[in-house]
Amino acid sequence: MSSAGTSGPSSGDTTGNGNGVPERAAAPGGNRPPRGGRAGAADLGGFGSGADDRGAGGGTPDRSAVGATDRSGTGSGTGSDAVAADAERVARRDDAVRAAVEQGLLSPEQPVVALLDVPGIRASAAALRAAFDTVTAPGTPVLHAFAVKAAPLVPVLRLLADEGIGAEVASPGELALARTAGVSPDRTVLDSPAKTSAELREALALGIAVNADNPQELDRIDAMVRSAPTRSPIGLRINPQVGGGSIGALSTATATSKFGVALRDEGARAWILRAYADRPWLTRLHAHSGSQGMPLSLMAQGVAETYALAEEINRHVGRRQVDTIDIGGGLPVNFGSDATAPTYAQYARLLAEVVPGLFDGRYGLVTEFGRSLLAKHGTVLARVEYAKSAGGRAIAVTHAGVQVAARTVYAPGAWPLRIAAYDAKGRPKTGPDVVQDIAGPACFAGDLLAEGRALPLLEQGDHAAALDTGAYYFAHHYAYNSLARPGIYGFAPTDHGTDGTDGDGGTGSGGGGVRFAVVREPQTLEEIVAESGGTHSRSLTSL
């Protein structure tokens, strides 16, 4: 376990079987909280599960980080296995921070970097596969497709592909990233509420699975299917309208959600039955009820509604037309401590209890998890440029703010982050807690990673780490003040005495035996100028 001062918010086989899903082998057996302070560890219900309205942080965190609650493991293991795995992740993170400083990835010239724990990502992918392998009948076709929007980085997609994870894409850009990473069309799913005709034609030509969002989109696909055969599995997204969680913006099964066909609206169910009866090639059904802030019980209810509709469709048409159910993703992440909770194993077991027919081998299965695969394995590390005080409050001014953590800065009540303190050499910082603000570099007062946090006092030249930022944070740069995109580096432990490189753009051992590989280079000033119209500097004056 790390001794770093850490403060949180108070608050398979690829063989296709005809339905586009790879077949796996037999299974083996409203009130915004303050941003400072800390309290006891939360139980499972609080980890973004909707037990209260504290959002991403769920319950109140404990600085002891790991082991406060018995949890069933990151996959199919025991609670003690999970505690040990979480502790190992913390130790890898501390080693990586020290190595990043020692090897110069973080320096006065490069004062902010992002780090990705490669062994941790591999472990999460394995846990996901194991969890659903345990509850599905042997031979069930299963595709786990990573929601690319969570971390749109080609090396991450390639790593996940090597771990048996496909890609769920929602734009031409995301599809281009997945293809560049080598994700095959039969392991790709296209979602989006606003697909253009060009996007649909490309997907159908490639054989990518498509989930139509609405009747008008289905009409477009009708015309395309009539004009050219396709290998693509095609489905329809429905909105089960089961309700929302504690973060409205991420609740996609509310009565008025923009996603899918609203199942409980007048006439909708009858239209869906006709749509399938008229289209023998419509063989999938998809729903995604939401993500962070959603109770697992509500997510399971949305899956149950989707399964019941699939059964009704198949009875209506008199054959097993719907052969695959895409349950989306959405597993919440615990931002309150280092514990992995809830786990994929817990969610898979809950679904098996609530919707046992889903796992009896009659339906293929697709999942679309994103945040839960990456979040716990990312860290933003920033140098403290200045330490100051105002009104009796200590303030650490760093180079990490709204440009890497827009959600937290603009909606701190819903997206609080834990902060860990490291000294100038990248070692976990100790000492008495001091209430302080962790500020970013942007020119507005609200650019704060954390406000009123109790941490060992951060001083000039120290480092502040924003934890659990592997998804939806540093990969989603926000160019306020034309701040540069930070470099992103994957890391993994290595034995001491290596030759100093990893053979793929990485730097060598050191800092506890850590090697790094470039995921994305730091943005240069020249790139900022070019992306801001630098080659068109006189275009407006000519009008």
Side-chain angles (χ1 to χ4, degrees):
M1 285 286 301
S2 165
S3 59
T6 306
S7 180
S10 67
S11 48
D13 186 311
T14 58
T15 303
N17 71 341
N19 63 0
V21 183
E23 189 168 325
R24 69 171 181 85
N31 295 324
R32 169 173 162 176
R35 284 200 272 183
R38 56 186 170 91
D43 65 11
L44 178 62
F47 294 130
S49 66
D52 54 30
D53 62 356
R54 285 176 286 186
T60 50
D62 187 281
R63 279 188 58 194
S64 60
V66 178
T69 303
D70 183 31
R71 298 175 177 93
S72 63
T74 55
S76 56
T78 65
S80 59
D81 292 337
V83 171
D86 291 334
E88 289 170 3
R89 172 163 40 81
V90 174
R92 286 196 304 271
R93 182 177 69 217
D94 286 349
D95 286 346
V97 168
R98 185 171 74 254
V101 175
E102 291 179 356
Q103 297 181 28
L105 298 184
L106 191 75
S107 66
E109 293 73 32
Q110 294 289 344
V112 57
V113 297
L115 306 176
L116 281 169
D117 179 357
V118 172
I121 296 171
R122 293 186 190 275
S124 284
L128 171 58
R129 297 195 316 270
F132 282 87
D133 284 354
T134 299
V135 299
T136 51
T140 299
V142 178
L143 171 63
H144 298 294
F146 174 68
V148 173
K149 58 183 172 287
L153 299 163
V154 170
V156 169
L157 304 184
R158 181 57 181 262
L159 173 64
L160 289 171
D162 285 353
E163 295 301 313
I165 309 297
E168 182 266 335
V169 302
S171 72
E174 289 184 356
L175 176 56
L177 296 179
R179 296 190 69 187
T180 301
V183 182
S184 61
D186 64 339
R187 299 185 64 78
T188 305
V189 180
L190 175 62
D191 292 315
S192 166
K195 306 179 198 72
T196 65
S197 294
E199 289 177 70
L200 290 169
R201 277 193 296 269
E202 180 181 22
L204 296 175
L206 290 171
I208 290 169
V210 175
N211 289 318
D213 179 82
N214 56 73
Q216 292 178 349
E217 182 182 338
L218 198 55
D219 288 343
R220 281 185 174 178
I221 295 173
D222 272 333
M224 295 177 186
V225 169
R226 285 195 299 266
S227 64
T230 180
R231 304 185 313 277
S232 292
I234 302 172
L236 179 68
R237 178 169 184 170
I238 59 122
N239 170 11
Q241 294 176 296
V242 294
S246 63
I247 304 178
L250 299 187
S251 299
T252 55
T254 59
T256 58
S257 170
K258 72 179 185 180
F259 293 101
V261 178
L263 185 58
R264 300 183 185 181
D265 280 14
E266 184 177 357
R269 203 175 197 98
W271 177 85
I272 293 170
L273 294 177
R274 289 196 306 271
Y276 277 83
D278 293 343
R279 299 169 177 86
W281 43 262
L282 200 57
T283 60
R284 289 189 174 188
L285 194 63
H286 168 50
H288 171 75
S289 295
S291 54
Q292 198 68 22
M294 288 289 288
L296 298 191
S297 58
L298 198 59
M299 293 169 60
Q301 185 182 344
V303 174
E305 295 278 354
T306 309
Y307 167 79
L309 180 59
E311 293 279 271
E312 185 177 354
I313 291 168
N314 287 345
R315 286 194 302 269
H316 180 74
V317 300
R319 63 184 181 279
R320 185 173 165 268
Q321 179 171 324
V322 177
D323 60 18
T324 300
I325 297 178
D326 183 337
I327 66 171
L331 188 71
V333 168
N334 165 31
F335 286 89
S337 79
D338 280 304
T340 301
T343 65
Y344 292 122
Q346 289 168 330
Y347 184 45
R349 285 198 300 269
L350 175 62
L351 290 177
E353 293 169 5
V354 175
V355 203
L358 179 61
F359 301 103
D360 64 11
R362 292 179 298 123
Y363 291 98
L365 182 69
V366 177
T367 72
E368 301 176 355
F369 295 102
R371 179 181 290 106
S372 55
L373 276 166
L374 264 292
K376 303 300 281 185
H377 309 303
T379 301
V380 173
L381 184 63
R383 188 172 185 273
V384 178
E385 194 68 41
Y386 300 108
K388 58 192 291 187
S389 66
R393 173 71 60 81
I395 303 172
V397 182
T398 79
H399 290 270
V402 70
Q403 87 277 29
V404 292
R407 291 187 179 195
T408 293
V409 168
Y410 287 127
W415 298 103
L417 286 174
R418 293 181 299 132
I419 305 296
Y422 295 88
D423 66 17
K425 294 184 177 181
R427 302 170 300 193
K429 189 158 191 179
T430 59
D433 284 351
V434 175
V435 175
Q436 56 197 296
D437 294 350
I438 314 302
C443 291
F444 67 98
D447 187 29
L448 300 170
L449 284 182
E451 184 177 2
R453 292 291 178 84
L455 287 166
L457 184 64
L458 285 165
E459 301 170 286
Q460 187 176 35
D462 284 345
H463 301 92
L467 310 181
D468 307 328
T469 48
Y472 297 104
Y473 276 92
F474 49 76
H476 299 70
H477 185 73
Y478 176 49
Y480 199 100
N481 283 146
S482 296
L483 290 164
R485 291 189 296 267
I488 303 175
Y489 303 89
F491 67 86
T494 189
D495 294 333
H496 289 287
T498 65
D499 65 0
T501 67
D502 67 4
D504 191 22
T507 56
S509 64
V514 179
R515 61 176 180 169
F516 295 93
V518 176
V519 176
R520 187 183 69 192
E521 296 279 2
Q523 188 180 30
T524 66
L525 294 179
E526 292 79 11
E527 288 170 333
I528 293 174
V529 171
E531 292 176 16
S532 300
T535 59
H536 307 285
S537 62
R538 297 185 180 274
S539 63
L540 299 182
T541 61
S542 65
L543 295 178

